[in-house]
Amino acid sequence: MADTEARKVIELGYGGNERLVMNMGPQHPSAHGVFRMILTLEGETIAAIDSVIGYLHRCHEKLGETLTYAQYPSIASKTDYVAAMTSELTYVLAAEKIGKIEVPKRAQHLRVLVAELQRIASHCLWLGTWCLDLGGALGGGATVFLYCFREREMILDLFEALTGARLLYGFHQVGGTRYDLPEGWAKRCRDTVGQIDQRIDEYESMLETNTAFLWRAQGVGVISKELAQEVGIAGPLLRGSGVDFDIRRNDPYSSYQDFDFEIPVETAGDCYARYRVRMQEFRESIKIVRQVLDGLPEGPISSRPGLKSVGQVRIPKGEAYARVEGPRGEVGCYLIADGGPKPYRMKWRGASFSNLSILPHIVPGHKVADVVAIMGSVDPVFGEVDR
Amino acid sequence: MTPDRAVSLIQERFGREAAGEGRYLIVEELPLERWEEFFTFARDTLGCRFFSFLTAVDWKEQGLEVVCRVENLEAGVGILAKTKLGPDAQCPSLTGIYRGADWMERECYDMFGVRFSGHPDLRRILLSQDWEGYPLRKDYAVDTPHAPYR
């Protein structure tokens, strides 16, 4: 009888000696999208994990081969929809690299400006949802979530005033940017980052004095320096594991060398270290935003203004790998051009894809509740995992 | 390790010119049978311990080409190596050298049908297990009809 069999599995599994297979997702609230984990449990401890991804797969790489260099950037924003500015920028950088297209200084600084605002917005979303996942440990859970959304909303308002869109912007184009700052925008931006700067202190004092938060974050999901590099995780995860590497400093693009900022590094490699890295990155991003606003050069915002037809962007034969330091790490675009109006091949290195592939290496040995904490600290965006 | 030193070491051992500079060195057309040897050498001798990505390119009549990028983060040496596959689309797996190759090779199998020999778990990763064809091959039309949703 099937019922008896099922009962046996449940009873024995509960006893802790036999293994029990448990499904988590794809619609689990902590999955931050659609992600299924098949957990093999021994009691409450995880013995093995199989990840099922691809629910949001749209085959962006094939799509990129069918759209021109002028059309694709606005679609690129749909890979990582939480940090749309980053993915757009990666694609246009790759195309500009092959075509050796100059970008005016003002456009480069505007790119830095929106990229850093985007990082703040993305980290707000991460902090809010992660704290929501940790739930009861934070005395109700939704507090930090709502605070973070309040701040993220302010940045989305800025983006709306700049581009007309709140989530997917179409701001970057080959040769520069599409929009310049509207009247009064710079002052509004300065006020916004000033407010966020103060509120980061509030979050920190709320969280770091909370013992339950510390218990759930410290010593959980430790990634060693060696493992981090071998699996190719990037961004705050890599720096949380003690690797001092940031593309903005080590391999600057779009005039990042003009600005003065620190690269936060933590050595513990646990969820708390990743949290610390991101919290410090908030402040560094605010610092960069202020520097951009202080010294924004005058001049054109694109070296190819007034493009009327999408066929006008021609990229010569060649290949390039361009990458940017997104909120989740190294977002890369490997582009092969054959001289036509569309790329011959486009490969996305999604930061979330590589970051998520760390799970099978670190989750076994933890309790079920820790999976949620680890997932949140990895900060995957499934649009970018599945592309 | 410096980029120049890496270029001369690759020349010495594999007889291949590493074009480009610094973090963007490109090694074209490695022999398929030396693919694993090259990455063991890149990891141990050149210090490229960071696994960036692995993918393939369909060159139509000239067959498939596998592309893989690794990097030495401290020294600023990045290497993009390529190898051409035969008509059987077989390629040695790098999972024994870089654990990050696991998902990337599964994706490459999923999209191009490259069979990585030695991969511990070569299943489709983004598409469903019963998908027919390999979407990123050039002969796969964009409007290929989907199998009925089940």
Side-chain angles (χ1 to χ4, degrees):
Chain A
M1 284 294 289
D3 271 359
T4 336
E5 281 298 306
R7 195 177 301 274
K8 208 166 90 190
V9 169
I10 292 166
E11 280 168 2
L12 288 174
Y14 215 72
N17 296 323
E18 294 284 319
R19 290 187 162 190
L20 176 78
V21 176
M22 189 179 81
N23 186 56
M24 190 166 166
Q27 298 290 358
H28 195 274
S30 80
H32 298 202
V34 267
F35 176 51
R36 180 177 168 214
M37 283 175 275
I38 303 166
L39 304 171
T40 306
L41 305 178
E42 278 172 2
E44 213 188 316
T45 308
I46 293 153
I49 170 175
D50 188 16
S51 321
V52 183
I53 59 172
Y55 293 98
L56 281 180
H57 181 61
R58 294 142 292 169
C59 212
H60 262 272
E61 298 181 12
K62 190 84 172 175
L63 199 59
E65 292 171 11
T66 67
L67 295 172
T68 67
Y69 296 100
Q71 287 173 321
Y72 187 71
S74 52
I75 308 290
S77 58
K78 290 159 185 71
T79 54
D80 180 353
Y81 42 75
V82 175
M85 291 289 188
T86 320
S87 20
E88 284 173 26
L89 180 58
T90 316
Y91 180 81
V92 298
L93 281 178
E96 284 161 3
K97 213 165 169 179
I98 304 175
K100 300 192 172 55
I101 296 167
E102 290 286 317
V103 179
K105 204 71 180 170
R106 184 175 175 88
Q108 293 191 14
H109 282 214
L110 286 177
R111 284 176 175 184
V112 170
L113 176 66
V114 294
E116 293 308 317
L117 285 172
Q118 183 74 83
R119 191 183 317 279
I120 301 171
S122 172
H123 281 4
C124 278
L125 186 82
W126 154 77
L127 183 66
T129 49
W130 188 44
C131 290
L132 189 68
D133 294 345
L134 296 178
L138 304 174
T143 316
V144 180
F145 176 72
L146 290 174
Y147 282 167
C148 287
F149 262 67
R150 180 185 63 186
E151 270 71 277
R152 178 167 177 266
E153 211 57 19
M154 301 196 303
I155 293 180
L156 297 193
D157 287 344
L158 286 175
F159 282 152
E160 191 180 9
L162 182 63
T163 67
R166 295 174 65 81
L167 191 67
L168 307 166
Y169 309 104
F171 180 75
H172 301 283
Q173 64 178 14
V174 176
T177 66
R178 208 177 292 264
Y179 308 102
D180 205 342
L181 302 186
E183 194 73 28
W185 195 89
K187 170 158 192 319
R188 210 172 136 193
C189 180
R190 231 182 265 275
D191 294 347
T192 303
V193 293
Q195 276 188 29
I196 294 176
D197 202 3
Q198 292 169 8
R199 288 176 182 171
I200 307 285
D201 296 335
E202 287 178 24
Y203 304 153
E204 281 183 341
S205 58
M206 276 166 79
L207 293 170
E208 288 167 24
T209 54
N210 185 327
T211 328
F213 171 75
L214 298 178
W215 278 345
R216 293 207 61 185
Q218 283 175 338
V220 173
V222 177
I223 306 172
S224 73
K225 202 172 171 177
E226 290 69 38
L227 181 68
Q229 296 200 45
E230 212 184 295
V231 175
I233 62 170
L237 278 76
L238 188 66
R239 292 190 286 278
S241 293
V243 181
D244 187 8
F245 180 77
D246 188 311
I247 302 166
R248 292 176 291 169
R249 182 197 58 202
N250 294 49
D251 185 15
Y253 52 93
S254 198
S255 290
Y256 263 105
Q257 68 278 10
D258 296 355
F259 305 103
D260 173 35
F261 57 99
E262 305 287 318
I263 307 295
V265 179
E266 298 279 332
T267 48
D270 56 2
C271 292
Y272 189 72
R274 300 193 269 282
Y275 156 83
R276 281 304 311 157
V277 168
R278 290 195 181 96
M279 291 314 269
Q280 293 169 66
E281 279 186 3
F282 267 123
R283 294 214 169 79
E284 296 306 320
S285 292
I286 291 172
K287 217 158 102 186
I288 299 173
V289 168
R290 286 188 175 134
Q291 287 175 43
V292 178
L293 292 174
D294 286 341
L296 196 60
E298 292 299 320
I301 55 162
S302 177
S303 58
R304 309 162 73 85
L307 282 181
K308 289 226 172 89
S309 136
V310 290
Q312 273 181 297
V313 182
R314 284 269 171 176
I315 303 292
K317 212 170 164 180
E319 63 162 81
Y321 177 63
R323 53 185 183 163
V324 307
E325 184 72 35
R328 274 159 280 285
E330 178 178 340
V331 184
C333 184
Y334 176 60
L335 206 60
I336 300 178
D338 59 357
K342 302 165 186 173
Y344 183 80
R345 168 92 178 97
M346 181 189 79
K347 157 77 185 165
W348 273 113
R349 184 212 186 268
S352 300
F353 181 84
S354 296
N355 289 356
L356 196 71
S357 69
I358 195 78
L359 285 186
H361 303 287
I362 57 170
V363 163
H366 285 90
K367 302 271 190 252
V368 179
D370 291 333
V371 177
V372 177
I374 295 172
M375 268 285 291
S377 77
V378 167
D379 186 25
V381 169
F382 282 88
E384 200 191 17
V385 174
D386 300 338
R387 282 154 290 137
Chain B
M1 185 56 57
T2 61
D4 292 339
R5 175 110 180 91
V7 172
S8 62
L9 280 172
I10 294 169
Q11 180 69 43
E12 203 174 287
R13 174 114 176 237
F14 294 89
R16 284 278 179 274
E17 186 81 37
E21 54 183 270
R23 294 181 181 274
Y24 298 95
L25 297 175
I26 298 177
V27 183
E28 303 270 358
E29 302 212 14
L30 276 169
L32 190 58
E33 60 279 6
R34 301 189 75 179
W35 184 242
E36 283 171 291
E37 184 194 339
F38 181 82
F39 282 98
T40 312
F41 161 82
R43 184 191 64 184
D44 298 337
T45 313
L46 306 181
C48 295
R49 282 191 297 275
F50 181 80
F51 184 84
S52 181
F53 71 86
L54 181 142
T55 188
V57 183
D58 183 359
W59 292 108
K60 295 178 187 168
E61 298 81 36
Q62 293 143 48
L64 293 165
E65 181 176 55
V66 171
V67 179
C68 178
R69 185 172 189 279
V70 293
E71 189 170 342
N72 181 338
L73 298 180
E74 295 86 33
V77 180
I79 296 164
L80 190 98
K82 304 177 183 181
T83 184
K84 286 257 163 71
L85 304 185
D88 60 348
Q90 286 274 349
C91 180
S93 170
L94 297 181
T95 41
I97 306 163
Y98 294 98
R99 280 176 276 185
D102 183 350
W103 281 27
M104 290 281 182
E105 286 182 353
R106 277 178 67 188
E107 189 191 345
C108 191
Y109 163 70
D110 201 359
M111 296 293 149
F112 289 94
V114 177
R115 280 162 187 82
F116 290 94
S117 43
H119 191 289
D121 182 27
L122 199 62
R123 290 175 288 152
R124 286 189 183 270
I125 185 166
L126 293 173
L127 301 174
S128 56
Q129 302 300 325
D130 57 354
W131 192 275
E132 283 169 20
Y134 302 105
L136 283 180
R137 286 196 181 185
K138 291 285 177 187
D139 57 6
Y140 190 100
V142 178
D143 54 358
T144 304
H146 282 260
Y149 187 73
R150 285 182 288 272

